[in-house]
Amino acid sequence: MRRFLFVSCLTFFAVNPASADIQHQIQSSIQLTVNGAASQATRLPSTYSVSGSGINLDTVGGLGTLTAGSAVGYTPAAYSLANDGDSFSFAETYIEGDDAQTATTLTDGVTAGLPAFGSVTTTAAGSAAGSAGDLAGTITGGGVLELTPGGPGTTATGQVILSITAN
């Protein structure tokens, strides 16, 4: 019996103990955003194109000169038939683009007016006050996220990340 006890004790102490590092992590976050007012104006170019067959170009046309505050304008071309009575095709296109504008200035983050360009996109500012209440977010002691939506142009995002790492 002593031998068995002695061998059992040697075996017990000779075995490496099991070890594991376990890490548990909880991260909670809330992001509240109220969009600012914004406008973007894009100036459209002037274009001129000519195509055809069975015609002669007598006088070359084209775009005029670009000066601030005035339209570019164009000079039409003059054409004649290559051979009287033959078939021909002809197309001349001119699109007047936006005038060249002087710089837009900002005063206290506000511009007096945007240029009247061909493409303008304007977005109103968001409002933290909404029909469901004021934009708000809270993380309670128990890790519960409470989000209250605001008005138009606002976002409320809540996130909980749980991670377990065992080595």
Side-chain angles (χ1 to χ4, degrees), residues 40-44 97-102 104 114-120:
Q40 179 177 347
T42 304
R43 184 171 171 246
L44 299 180
D98 296 321
D99 293 346
Q101 301 285 320
T102 56
T104 302
L114 287 174
F117 285 149
S119 175
V120 178

Side-chain angles (χ1 to χ4, degrees), residues 28-85:
S28 300
S29 65
I30 292 178
Q31 179 179 349
L32 306 174
T33 307
V34 178
N35 296 338
S39 290
Q40 179 177 347
T42 304
R43 184 171 171 246
L44 299 180
S46 295
T47 60
Y48 175 76
S49 66
V50 175
S51 64
S53 63
I55 59 171
N56 294 325
L57 176 62
D58 298 332
T59 306
V60 176
L63 294 175
T65 358
L66 179 63
T67 32
S70 66
V72 172
Y74 84 108
T75 304
Y79 306 93
S80 60
L81 293 175
N83 296 311
D84 291 341

